[in-house]
Amino acid sequence: MDYQALLEQIQHQLQPVIGQGRVASYIPELAKVSPHHFGMAVVELDGTVHAVGDARVPFSIQSISKLFTLLMAFQCEGDALWQRVGREPSGNPFNSLVQLEHESGIPRNPFINAGALVLADILCTRFAVPENAVVEFMRRLAGEKDIQYDRRVARSERDTAHRNAAMAYFMRSFGNLRNPVPQVLDAYCRHCAIEMNCVDLARAVLVLANRGVVPHSGERLLSASAAKRVSALMLTCGTYDAAGDFAFRVGLPAKSGVGGGILALVPGECGVCVWSPGLEPSGNSLAGSLALETFTTLTGRSIF
Ligand code: GLN
């Protein structure tokens, strides 16, 4: 498969829609990003990189961090994790509070904000400085030392995190957060504020495409069964309440973020990451979703 030519074709085909959609503005720092960026990268299991456009420009990974904090929390807790967070699509926006009351403070899945706050709580219990542990984990998976979180983005989100604070206090009232809420919110906002580019993210997700083994180091990070399960959760819950439509259109496990990134994988083959900050109303990148849809249409590489 000539992925380089394919990415160039996708970029060319998408020119008319790049810049459409709305940049997330509820986090003030994110509102400053131009909607006209577009980057896309494919990294194969043997490490071969194909990239176009802004694929090497760092962006705010936002909810894509939930995928990696899930891997870390799962390493800490094993299957006990599922007593504190569910595995069903929520069918509600990623920052919705409504289900939490009916479901006794147990979030529907780890990829909505409430679920990721539980993951952050687990990491706060386990690590003295959880954001450093997550950054270190990302560096290991991506094989890249320069990854960091952006302090301005983290501060900007923390200052306006009223909704996430409401969720966190609510879950704490049910006993599903163990650490002080401000500490959990600090960690969560810093995880979301990690900056990475498409190439590094596509490389980092290879651990799932490679059934739990980091290809460039040979390190087994999780069992093949756990990699399958996390990939399944990406398919059913990874793109907010548009996950059904995304599976229909794209047919790959994926995790999106309101920074405009979408990270996907083709099991046994490659990681794919696209970034374009203009969002659809669901919070997924508009050009990014179309790019991945075009990718699977042209290559036939979906899981179906
Ligand atoms: N940091 C964002 C928030 O908590 C992440 C949301 C997202 O990317 N969907 O609202």
Side-chain angles (χ1 to χ4, degrees), residues 180-249:
V181 166
Q183 188 188 335
V184 176
L185 288 170
D186 282 348
Y188 171 83
C189 292
R190 289 171 183 165
H191 301 161
C192 290
I194 290 173
E195 298 250 300
M196 286 175 71
N197 64 39
C198 290
V199 171
D200 291 341
L201 279 167
R203 194 181 292 111
V205 85
L206 287 179
V207 65
L208 293 176
N210 197 35
R211 301 185 166 80
V213 175
V214 181
H216 64 86
S217 63
E219 179 191 9
R220 174 163 292 283
L221 210 83
L222 62 165
S223 67
S225 154
K228 177 202 77 179
R229 290 175 168 188
V230 172
S231 304
L233 277 174
M234 292 169 78
L235 184 77
T236 53
C237 311
T239 43
Y240 317 129
D241 48 333
D245 189 52
F246 197 88
F248 181 86
R249 288 168 54 194

Side-chain angles (χ1 to χ4, degrees), residues 15-285:
Q15 279 311 317
V17 295
I18 295 170
Q20 286 183 20
R22 300 188 60 170
V23 172
S25 57
Y26 72 100
I27 299 172
E29 275 301 310
L30 292 187
K32 298 179 182 168
V33 179
S34 161
H36 295 283
H37 289 288
F38 178 88
M40 189 165 181
V42 171
V43 180
E44 298 184 67
L45 283 190
D46 67 2
T48 310
V49 174
H50 312 273
V52 287
D54 297 323
R56 288 191 168 81
V57 177
F59 62 90
S60 191
I61 72 170
Q62 293 297 314
S63 278
I64 296 174
S65 62
K66 294 172 169 69
L67 173 60
F68 298 99
T69 55
L70 171 63
L71 297 181
M72 293 178 74
F74 186 72
Q75 280 187 323
C76 298
E77 300 285 298
D79 281 330
L81 175 68
W82 308 117
Q83 285 159 21
R84 294 180 62 186
V85 58
R87 307 188 292 246
E88 291 292 349
S90 71
N92 279 302
F94 61 84
N95 57 2
S96 172
L97 282 136
V98 291
Q99 282 162 346
L100 278 179
E101 178 152 32
H102 295 300
E103 297 175 3
S104 309
I106 310 289
R108 272 285 174 102
N109 68 66
F111 294 152
I112 50 176
N113 287 11
L117 286 163
V118 172
L119 305 177
D121 182 62
I122 290 167
L123 300 183
C124 284
T125 300
R126 180 61 179 262
F127 298 101
V129 189
E131 58 273 26
N132 288 355
V134 178
V135 163
E136 201 41 59
F137 187 68
M138 298 312 304
R139 290 176 180 170
R140 240 165 81 204
L141 289 184
E144 170 56 57
K145 291 192 298 296
D146 285 339
I147 296 166
Q148 233 345 321
Y149 70 90
D150 183 321
R151 281 159 210 275
R152 273 175 309 131
V153 173
R155 170 57 42 208
S156 175
E157 175 164 4
R158 186 66 179 88
D159 288 344
T160 52
H162 313 302
R163 221 183 157 84
N164 286 332
M167 272 175 230
Y169 281 110
F170 200 54
M171 288 191 288
R172 172 109 192 181
S173 79
F174 284 103
N176 201 16
L177 287 197
R178 315 273 156 84
N179 295 281
V181 166
Q183 188 188 335
V184 176
L185 288 170
D186 282 348
Y188 171 83
C189 292
R190 289 171 183 165
H191 301 161
C192 290
I194 290 173
E195 298 250 300
M196 286 175 71
N197 64 39
C198 290
V199 171
D200 291 341
L201 279 167
R203 194 181 292 111
V205 85
L206 287 179
V207 65
L208 293 176
N210 197 35
R211 301 185 166 80
V213 175
V214 181
H216 64 86
S217 63
E219 179 191 9
R220 174 163 292 283
L221 210 83
L222 62 165
S223 67
S225 154
K228 177 202 77 179
R229 290 175 168 188
V230 172
S231 304
L233 277 174
M234 292 169 78
L235 184 77
T236 53
C237 311
T239 43
Y240 317 129
D241 48 333
D245 189 52
F246 197 88
F248 181 86
R249 288 168 54 194
V250 178
L252 289 177
K255 183 72 206 87
S256 57
V258 293
I262 310 179
L263 179 57
L265 64 116
V266 184
E269 277 197 41
C270 60
V272 188
C273 185
V274 58
W275 171 53
S276 192
L279 305 179
E280 298 178 320
S282 60
N284 296 313
S285 168

